[in-house]
Amino acid sequence: MTIEPPSLNFTSANAAAIKMFGAADEAEFLSLSVGELSPPRQPDGTPTPQKMEETLQIVLQEGSHFFEWAHCRRNGEVFPATVLLTKLHFGDRTIIQATVRDITERKETERKLEEVNAKLTELSMTDQLTGLPNRRQLDQKINEEITRSKRTGKGLAVLMLDLDHFKQVNDQYGHQKGDEILQQFAEVLRQEVRDMDLPSRFGGEEFCVLLPEIEADEGRNVAERIRGSVEDLSDPAPTVSVGVGYWEPDISSGGVLRRADRALYAAKEAGRNCVVTYCKQPGKDDQNLSDSA
């Protein structure tokens, strides 16, 4: 189609353009304006008249312009399109040739592809048995929360949890029963933590809970609450050992995970079914732990 500035009235249109916009014939099409074949606003929120003026200035200055545009047919249906505008001269007249391509199918394909990619990303970060985030998602989230804690000055804790003697459960009752217990424990974690917290399956019978924006000793309270809830799970009722590690500004995400892991090891050494909080003694290294049970 061709358009004559500054009125932006159509001066010609081929059969494909007439069909695309749903006009009855060329006479009807030429009676319309660009604005009548566009919704009030473009996808970026800009009013269409403003966007039209900006686009017109670009093509008049640069000679051509390629862009995406939201058009609408005569029945009101809005559709996405690519538009190539080219400035042409006929004597003392300036005409703009417009080549419009309906990209509805392409956009739909892109949308479906984005949905598939989002689903694949979700699956890659989710434990398939319990539905909890997996270690990959935990590693990503803990780095985000450390960055937030550095900015806000708020505390951050990590709980490392291990179902006690879980191998014996699998050996005695079978892996199906073991899977049921893991799924039940995952549900306990969901119920006992806040929306902002991140419970995850670390691997095997080991789980982890990331607790952002938490005050000192609150991590232990959450751990004890979880430990108490596990006893009501099933027959056989499992027990859980928990290590609590607190983040400090001088350690990394790996450092706070190691603190929680060392505290968990101490909980197992202390007889299991208890909570141990990592405690660094002045002048000593990260191996020092104190039993908080």
Side-chain angles (χ1 to χ4, degrees), residues 144-188:
E144 293 174 0
E145 291 300 338
I146 284 177
T147 300
R148 188 196 307 273
S149 292
K150 288 179 179 179
R151 186 175 67 251
T152 64
K154 294 183 178 180
L156 175 71
V158 170
L159 310 183
M160 197 72 74
L161 311 98
D162 188 272
L163 292 172
D164 298 325
H165 307 297
F166 189 72
K167 184 178 184 301
Q168 296 177 15
V169 174
N170 278 333
D171 291 344
Q172 184 173 353
Y173 298 96
H175 288 277
Q176 182 174 350
K177 184 63 176 179
D179 287 350
E180 290 176 5
I181 291 175
L182 291 174
Q183 291 169 333
Q184 292 170 0
F185 183 61
E187 188 59 32
V188 167

Side-chain angles (χ1 to χ4, degrees), residues 89 131 177 249 268 280:
H89 294 288
K177 184 63 176 179
K268 294 178 181 179
K280 183 176 181 180

Side-chain angles (χ1 to χ4, degrees), residues 127-145:
D127 175 62
Q128 298 306 296
L129 176 64
T130 64
L132 290 176
N134 60 16
R135 183 166 182 177
R136 180 182 177 187
Q137 187 173 164
L138 171 68
D139 289 340
Q140 176 179 307
K141 187 68 174 178
I142 195 171
N143 282 306
E144 293 174 0
E145 291 300 338

